[in-house]
Amino acid sequence: MQDNATEVTAAGIARLAGVGRAAVSNWRRRHADFPKPVGGTETSPSFALAEVETWLRKQGKLAEVPLRERVWQQLVGHPAGPLTALVHTGWVLLLIHERPTVWLDASAGSDERLAAVLPGALEQVMTPRFGGAPGRGVHSGGRGDVGAAVNTSGEERGVNAGGEPQTVNAPSDAQAVNTSSAVHGVPAAHTTTALRTPTGPQLFLSVPLLRGAAELAAEAGARQAFEFLLGRHLDANPRQYTLTPAELAGLMADLAGPARTVLDPACGTGALLRAVDTRPDQEVYAQDSAPDLAVITALRLALHSRAGVRAAAGDTLRADAHPELRADAVLCHPPFNERNWGHDELAYDPRWEYGFPARTESELAWVQHALARLADGGAAVLLMPPAAASRRSGRRIRSDLLRRGALRAVVALPVGAAPPYNIPLDVWVLRRPDRTPTAPEVLLVDTGRFAAEGRGGPDWAAVREAVLDAWRSFERSGRLEERPGLARSVPVIELLDDDVDLAPARHLPPAAVADGAEQLTAVRERLGATLRLTADLTPPAAVPAPPGARWPLTTIGELARGGALMMRTGGNGGRARVPVLTDHDVLAGTAPSGMLPESEEEAVLTEPGDVVVPVLGGGSVARVIDETTEGAALGRNLVLLRPDRTALDPWFLAGFLRGTANNRQASSYASTATRLDVRRLQLPRLPLDEQRRYGGRFRALDEFERALRHTSRLGEQLVRGMYDGLTDGTVAPG
């Protein structure tokens, strides 16, 4: 069913047509019949999706809107907002996953009937998957300022099962309907309450989206459809969420080990719990202060496995929804540097077994909450800011964690492992002390050496191998032989000084002298060879062209319409573990370094001879795909041009696209960025043999440029290594 009410922005139109936003602006100016805005603002208007689709098809700019794109536009244009739309979609996808025949029966009638019968149908999956009474499978509770404990009796117009209008009491998705007694002495405004499934009137606005999502589930599967829509939403709103990268989530889950009951008290979108290996009779518990995120986590986990899911919304520290739980494992990526975490209200809370956290030590409150929810011998793994390992205000708690054997390991991650990406975060591994003797040593690991250049993430394969190998060896014997510059087990007594500083780098011996000197010698030799190569690749003297030489010109847009090349734009999702060529990789001339959010969307994969062009930043850059970059997925803000080799030489194409004047005439300027309209870039019309002459010269320039970049990186590495070696005693002055 096509939703005539769905609206789409200029950015959405650009995605539909595979062009830049500047092209959409030009269409609006040049075509009197372009659809008029139906909403939005004067500076950011929105348009009716159906009208836009018709116009694009009429202009020959669109054959058919892909189902995934149509469903995404319906979700992002939902009147109640994309988060509410995502929750409604998740409920229905879970119903399709669990009870497909119930969905088929419900969706066979009119939209009014579907909206009316859906709440009852959803209750059939809520009870077995989430527990509790029908309509009360996901719990909500927390701070009074989040508006969780509100009882609404306002009337809305609804429909009954036969499609007749009726009046119903309709609390919203995040409104509570009952209140329990206070927890930990916290006032009633902070207590846990129950959340209802969406009502018929609420679901009625979502019916076109829900039918589209069902079609998508029929193509790709319910779980894959939800992961695609969630991944696209997270990618479109990167500043609204603090995400845990999938590689880090997997590492933390492996450090915790197999578990039947698992808790994440700050679950976000459920990345950590989703990384846990499933096992029979498993139960997962989750809580988040944002009700929508708690529901999304519950739906995501229910679609992912057969585990029992108990999810709650509320402020975990002030109103713990699982006070009686004793889990086998706790995984947590808590909020950092919170001053308003409950210091004044929770002074006598029984969770502070290791000391009352200072107002500035919210992370140590989360550590103790995790320990309090563990069974004896259970494991907790938390992502922590590096300051938590050394701040003086937390030294007494750190000291008690060490003395009682609760803290087992601190792993320093490379820069860029998780947000905030400019800080090297830590992973703490803790155990709930049982009756066994206290462990006399603590494992310290520093994986900073595995950071990647530029903005790419670290070498996760190397990080994972180094950390898990050290941890498993330490677990087996209770100690680890020194691995210089990487890991060692440190006697607790060594750490119990005035500072109780747990930063791994301060306690690890540097790399062996011989290894450091040999490595620097190898870098110096590579630098010398690269300098000689750079000299050999220096372009010959420029020869002036004959005066008055001019070529007939064409544009990329004309070549695409004529079939001489194919244009594709970077995606927002893809299958797991696919390396992504980002715009930063193209600009820096480095290998693919990114990862796309996991979804079943088919990513655009590069092939040798493709030409990739960044569309943001105002630079004159084009990169020809070779064997080192082939097979990578195309990232955001990139356009891929795939030339017909019988008509266009790739190096000729890339070379002329880099012309400064060419880029200037094809660029548009906003207040903070420059955007390139690739379709407007120009090429001379030349015979293929002449193209290849130019292409050969452009290719030689590219080799020279890469050699210069490699020389620069090796030089920086040698200089940095010499400074480090001379100052840490691993290199002699001569």
Side-chain angles (χ1 to χ4, degrees):
M1 171 184 174
Q2 175 65 47
D3 177 18
N4 293 325
T6 298
E7 298 177 12
V8 61
T9 63
I13 297 173
R15 280 193 55 82
L16 290 172
V19 299
R21 291 186 62 177
V24 179
S25 299
N26 288 336
W27 293 342
R28 292 185 63 195
R29 289 196 301 268
R30 297 176 182 176
H31 297 276
D33 61 339
F34 191 87
K36 303 301 181 186
V38 296
T41 64
E42 184 175 348
T43 57
S44 181
S46 59
F47 307 82
L49 176 60
E51 294 180 9
V52 168
E53 183 180 347
T54 300
W55 187 87
L56 289 173
R57 190 174 291 111
K58 178 182 175 183
Q59 295 291 324
K61 303 180 187 299
L62 180 71
E64 183 65 41
V65 177
L67 175 61
R68 295 178 179 217
E69 192 62 36
R70 181 182 288 113
V71 174
W72 165 248
Q73 294 298 342
Q74 289 173 330
L75 186 144
V76 78
H78 194 283
L83 260 183
T84 296
L86 194 59
V87 169
H88 289 182
T89 304
W91 282 120
V92 167
L93 289 173
L94 181 60
L95 176 65
I96 293 170
H97 182 69
E98 299 279 325
R99 305 285 180 89
T101 56
V102 174
W103 163 256
L104 290 174
D105 178 68
S107 61
S110 66
D111 290 354
E112 290 79 6
R113 178 180 179 275
L114 175 59
V117 302
L118 261 183
L122 294 177
E123 289 179 357
Q124 297 183 41
V125 299
M126 284 191 67
T127 301
R129 294 314 309 271
F130 303 123
R136 299 188 179 186
V138 181
H139 294 86
S140 168
R143 303 179 186 177
D145 59 1
V146 299
V150 180
N151 191 354
T152 299
S153 58
E155 295 184 347
E156 292 189 20
R157 298 297 295 176
V159 290
N160 60 25
E164 297 297 326
Q166 65 175 3
T167 300
V168 296
N169 292 332
S172 72
D173 290 356
Q175 289 172 334
V177 295
N178 74 328
T179 304
S180 65
S181 59
V183 179
H184 294 314
V186 181
H190 300 290
T191 57
T192 58
T193 53
L195 221 84
R196 290 191 182 276
T197 54
T199 64
Q202 293 163 355
L203 288 168
F204 184 71
L205 292 175
S206 302
V207 166
L209 166 65
L210 302 181
R211 291 189 186 275
E215 291 183 52
L216 193 57
E219 284 188 1
R223 180 183 70 83
Q224 292 83 353
F226 189 67
E227 288 294 326
F228 160 71
L229 294 171
L230 175 60
R232 178 73 74 87
H233 173 71
L234 297 177
D235 191 59
N237 302 276
R239 297 184 180 180
Q240 295 183 21
Y241 306 96
T242 300
L243 303 179
T244 309
E247 297 86 351
L248 176 56
L251 174 63
M252 292 174 65
D254 286 343
L255 287 169
R260 193 185 71 81
T261 56
V262 190
L263 166 69
D264 184 348
C267 62
T269 59
L272 286 172
L273 292 174
R274 194 174 178 277
V276 174
D277 287 337
T278 58
R279 55 184 298 174
D281 301 324
Q282 191 172 53
E283 291 186 346
V284 291
Y285 295 80
Q287 185 167 350
D288 197 272
S289 60
D292 283 328
L293 293 186
V295 178
I296 285 172
T297 293
L299 293 169
R300 192 180 189 193
L301 295 174
L303 285 164
H304 177 64
S305 74
R306 298 303 305 170
V309 179
R310 304 291 181 267
D315 184 333
T316 296
L317 294 181
R318 285 186 171 91
D320 180 14
H322 310 293
E324 306 304 321
L325 177 65
R326 295 299 177 264
D328 299 322
V330 175
L331 299 171
C332 187
H333 177 173
F336 297 160
N337 302 318
E338 277 202 337
R339 294 297 183 99
N340 185 28
W341 59 268
H343 178 270
D344 295 336
E345 304 102 304
L346 302 173
Y348 301 102
D349 195 288
R351 289 172 290 183
W352 315 142
E353 294 182 49
Y354 302 88
F356 181 39
R359 189 183 301 276
T360 56
E361 294 289 350
S362 62
E363 297 86 8
L364 293 182
W366 285 97
V367 164
Q368 294 191 76
H369 172 80
L371 285 167
R373 293 297 155 261
L374 286 175
D376 287 348
V381 182
L382 288 88
L383 187 66
M384 301 283 282
S390 57
R391 278 190 299 241
R392 290 189 61 81
S393 54
R395 66 188 186 276
R396 290 185 179 178
I397 294 177
R398 293 195 300 271
S399 175
D400 211 29
L401 290 170
L402 290 170
R403 285 193 179 95
R404 296 175 59 182
L407 183 61
R408 303 299 297 120
V410 176
V411 178
L413 297 171
V415 172
Y421 290 106
N422 61 328
I423 297 175
L425 302 177
D426 291 346
V427 170
W428 287 23
V429 183
L430 303 108
R431 295 276 190 199
R432 176 76 181 175
D434 52 20
R435 298 178 182 178
T436 59
T438 300
E441 298 194 3
V442 173
L443 177 66
L444 301 180
V445 183
D446 186 357
T447 61
R449 66 172 68 174
F450 302 120
E453 294 182 1
R455 293 183 54 175
D459 183 347
W460 277 112
V463 171
R464 181 182 179 82
E465 180 181 3
V467 172
L468 293 181
D469 182 62
W471 170 247
R472 287 164 182 164
S473 298
F474 175 72
E475 267 202 311
R476 284 193 298 269
S477 61
R479 63 186 310 276
L480 182 75
E481 294 296 330
E482 285 188 358
R483 300 180 182 183
L486 180 63
R488 68 176 285 220
S489 58
V490 182
V492 167
I493 193 66
E494 283 190 25
L495 301 172
L496 295 176
D497 55 16
D498 289 341
D499 295 322
V500 196
D501 192 332
L502 306 179
R506 297 196 173 105
H507 301 280
L508 296 179
V513 174
D515 291 344
E518 289 176 3
Q519 185 178 19
L520 289 175
T521 300
V523 171
R524 184 177 182 278
E525 291 175 355
R526 293 203 307 273
L527 176 60
T530 307
L531 285 170
R532 291 189 292 273
L533 175 62
T534 305
D536 293 339
L537 292 173
T538 302
V543 178
R550 291 291 184 271
W551 307 289
L553 299 175
T554 186
T555 65
I556 294 297
E558 290 172 351
L559 291 171
R561 287 191 292 272
L565 57 79
M566 180 179 69
M567 289 186 62
R568 300 290 300 276
T569 56
N572 291 281
R575 302 186 187 277
R577 308 296 180 184
V578 176
V580 174
L581 185 68
T582 69
D583 53 344
H584 303 288
D585 299 330
V586 175
L587 292 169
T590 54
S593 66
M595 292 295 293
L596 289 175
E598 183 180 354
S599 77
E600 292 302 310
E601 180 179 358
E602 290 295 335
V604 179
L605 301 182
T606 58
E607 297 179 3
D610 290 344
V611 177
V612 178
V613 183
V615 296
L616 291 181
S620 302
V621 178
R623 182 170 178 178
V624 179
I625 298 299
D626 56 18
E627 64 277 0
T628 64
T629 47
E630 67 172 309
L634 193 69
R636 296 182 62 199
N637 302 321
L638 291 175
V639 172
L640 180 145
L641 305 176
R642 183 164 293 162
D644 178 352
R645 298 294 190 89
T646 64
L648 274 176
D649 178 77
W651 287 100
F652 165 80
L653 172 63
F656 272 94
L657 295 187
R658 291 191 60 172
T660 301
N662 198 6
N663 275 260
R664 187 179 296 121
Q665 64 84 28
S667 296
S668 58
Y669 303 94
S671 58
T672 59
T674 303
R675 187 172 188 92
L676 182 68
D677 184 353
V678 176
R679 290 177 179 270
R680 292 173 54 188
L681 288 169
Q682 297 176 336
L683 286 177
R685 294 182 180 272
L686 294 178
L688 191 56
D689 288 344
E690 188 69 5
Q691 291 182 33
R692 287 170 177 159
R693 283 186 59 218
Y694 276 95
R697 189 65 180 272
F698 288 138
R699 187 169 192 164
L701 284 172
D702 181 78
E703 291 178 4
F704 176 64
E705 182 179 38
R706 282 188 288 169
L708 286 175
R709 284 176 170 165
H710 191 44
T711 300
S712 175
R713 286 194 287 266
L714 287 172
E716 291 175 359
Q717 186 179 351
L718 180 61
V719 170
R720 184 173 61 250
M722 289 297 295
Y723 270 111
D724 290 346
L726 288 166
T727 55
D728 65 20
T730 60
V731 173

